[in-house]
Amino acid sequence: MTELKNDRYLRALYKQPVDCTPVWMMRQAGRYLPEYRELRAQAGDFLSLCKNAELACEVTMQPLRRFDLDAAILFSDILTIPDAMGLGLYFETGEGPKFSRPITCKADVDKIGIPDPEGELQYVMNAVRTIRRELNGDVPLIGFSGSPWTLATYMVEGGTSKAFTKIKKMMYAEPQTLHALLDKLADSVISYLNAQIKAGAQSVMVFDTWGGVLTPRDYNDFSLQYMQKIVDGLIRENDGRRVPVTLFTKNAGMWLERIAATGCDGVGLDWTINIADAKARIGDKVALQGNMDPSMLYASPERIRQEVATILEGFGESTGHVFNLGHGIHLDVPPENAGAFIDAVHELSRPYHD
Ligand code: CP3
């Protein structure tokens, strides 16, 4: 078993005692950091950063040099899988991700295969291996993937969407086509995350950014069912340690019991639910990750500390909490405010762990 100098993040997910509450930030590497913007300008674009293991490693390390973070997260993107399936991922400035060959029908679904993680996606595994070497046991490394439903929204819509009309049309008019796509995606995610674990990821997270746009029944059938398949298919122990899996569906406060029942280790919360309520509902089964509104990082350091104190008080005296933002950090947040947030979590949480 590789020694870890700081294993608070893993201990909180195992619900073992910690000295203070661990914290990391969704999208902690990225454009709010001037050193990231500089490196991206040199590399040319975002995908070139992802596809170069040395640069992806450097970007992963940037926030850890600035802040006292308890985990590193692989610098990559959820859309690497559809890109490897041949959909042609590109980024249009200001418009987010796009695909030049989106999925429109059953024939398109039949054409795509399960990407080989040590083939088309080997650049991701190389980044994981490089980051683990560079981290040298300082903090654990989180690997990640998108959920099948969230990946399918980008693949069918051809990019970011507001109303999800194309994928919902497929869901209601041609459900078998969508199920065939989701099933291939679930198998791809299992093989991709297991390869990240073998390459050195010590925990994995599944981002279901768009599960919350579904009806309660469709959430079960088109999103959660496939995340369940992933949880069941993952390597849960590696290098003598449990590899915790965290599921995060944004806007899913009403479905927490069902998410916790998948057998995952951690459930990610956005900011639309009180953490005390979430703990009362599922805190006996899983650890919780969250749940400060990322926009709070625009406030003064005093206001940020106050919010951190409120969330810590809501969770109360026990382990099983990984502090985080309820979604990704905004790109125009002052880095000092992120630092004030992280320090506040460590400092103000100590009395809860005496
Ligand atoms: O957290 C981290 O530091 C790790 C890196 C990470 C990125 N994307 C880097 C990135 C992670 C975990 C993701 C996940 C991701 N990607 C999700 C799920 C989480 C969420 O935010 O809901 C989604 C939906 C995507 C798809 C995606 N990739 C979008 C919508 C965008 C554009 C968003 C934007 O802010 O422009 C990306 C691009 C992207 N992924 C960037 C980064 C740092 C910005 C690229 C750049 O312009 O430099």
Side-chain angles (χ1 to χ4, degrees):
M1 188 160 74
T2 323
E3 278 295 310
L4 271 169
K5 289 163 210 157
N6 171 355
D7 64 352
R8 261 179 216 137
Y9 163 82
L10 290 176
R11 292 181 66 86
L13 284 173
Y14 304 151
K15 292 169 167 268
Q16 291 172 357
V18 285
D19 57 341
C20 61
T21 304
V23 55
W24 68 281
M25 296 185 294
M26 280 198 240
R27 298 280 192 103
Q28 64 192 18
R31 283 167 299 185
Y32 75 106
L33 293 177
E35 57 271 34
Y36 171 83
R37 293 196 297 268
E38 199 176 305
L39 204 70
R40 196 187 72 161
Q42 280 171 31
D45 62 1
F46 166 65
L47 281 176
S48 309
L49 280 181
C50 294
K51 293 188 176 178
N52 178 313
E54 299 301 324
L55 295 179
C57 173
E58 172 57 24
V59 174
T60 302
M61 302 305 291
Q62 285 177 343
L64 298 163
R65 292 193 194 111
R66 268 188 189 252
F67 313 123
D68 191 13
L69 291 158
D70 296 299
I73 180 160
L74 163 70
F75 188 79
S76 188
D77 199 78
I78 63 165
L79 301 176
T80 50
I81 287 181
D83 186 46
M85 287 172 160
L87 272 64
L89 173 65
Y90 65 100
F91 286 85
E92 202 89 81
T93 321
E95 287 180 51
K98 292 222 155 79
F99 287 110
S100 42
R101 291 174 293 278
I103 300 285
T104 60
C105 59
K106 182 71 169 41
D108 289 344
V109 176
D110 291 341
K111 260 190 293 193
I112 58 175
I114 315 268
D116 175 1
E118 291 288 357
E120 306 92 287
L121 288 165
Q122 194 172 43
Y123 68 90
V124 179
M125 306 311 144
N126 289 342
V128 171
R129 288 184 275 264
T130 308
I131 297 163
R132 272 297 301 274
R133 260 199 311 278
E134 185 69 22
L135 279 172
N136 194 27
D138 283 344
V139 290
L141 174 63
I142 306 168
F144 71 92
S145 163
S147 73
W149 165 259
T150 290
L151 292 176
T153 64
Y154 288 97
M155 294 166 77
V156 174
E157 297 290 334
T160 303
S161 176
K162 285 203 165 70
F164 301 96
T165 48
K166 293 193 181 96
I167 191 156
K168 288 198 174 182
K169 181 176 175 190
M170 186 183 277
M171 176 168 72
Y172 292 132
E174 244 187 286
Q176 291 321 315
T177 301
L178 185 53
H179 279 302
L181 175 60
L182 293 167
D183 206 50
K184 274 192 184 177
L185 284 167
D187 288 339
S188 304
V189 169
I190 292 168
S191 116
Y192 184 58
L193 287 179
N194 282 340
Q196 289 186 30
I197 292 167
K198 286 185 203 144
Q202 289 142 305
S203 164
V204 293
M205 175 152 169
V206 179
F207 289 95
D208 185 28
T209 308
W210 301 118
V213 305
L214 291 165
T215 69
R217 291 166 309 285
D218 294 325
Y219 176 67
N220 250 24
D221 296 350
F222 292 91
S223 183
L224 192 60
Q225 183 194 164
Y226 294 97
M227 291 202 283
Q228 175 78 66
K229 184 173 178 181
I230 292 166
V231 171
D232 293 340
L234 288 180
I235 298 172
R236 301 298 283 273
E237 200 177 310
N238 194 41
D239 191 23
R241 249 195 218 101
R242 184 167 177 85
V243 182
V245 48
T246 300
L247 301 183
F248 170 66
T249 297
K250 190 161 166 279
N251 261 303
M254 52 293 190
W255 306 322
L256 294 181
E257 289 80 0
R258 289 198 245 157
I259 303 171
T262 57
C264 63
D265 301 272
V267 172
L269 307 173
D270 67 14
W271 60 88
T272 62
I273 180 163
N274 279 319
I275 198 161
D277 297 340
K279 189 182 180 191
R281 285 167 55 191
I282 57 169
D284 57 331
K285 285 202 183 62
V286 290
L288 299 179
Q289 177 178 281
N291 74 332
M292 194 173 88
D293 186 334
S295 297
M296 185 55 72
L297 292 182
Y298 291 126
S300 65
E302 297 71 44
R303 180 69 185 87
I304 294 169
R305 278 177 72 85
Q306 201 186 358
E307 190 69 9
V308 166
T310 304
I311 293 170
L312 287 171
E313 197 191 348
F315 190 85
E317 259 176 55
S318 74
T319 183
H321 182 202
V322 174
F323 217 113
N324 206 313
L325 306 174
H327 199 205
I329 187 168
H330 296 308
L331 55 93
D332 55 348
V333 154
E336 314 80 76
N337 291 12
F341 161 64
I342 289 152
D343 292 343
V345 172
H346 286 149
E347 198 187 311
L348 302 176
S349 66
R350 284 191 193 269
Y352 291 98
H353 300 287
D354 280 344

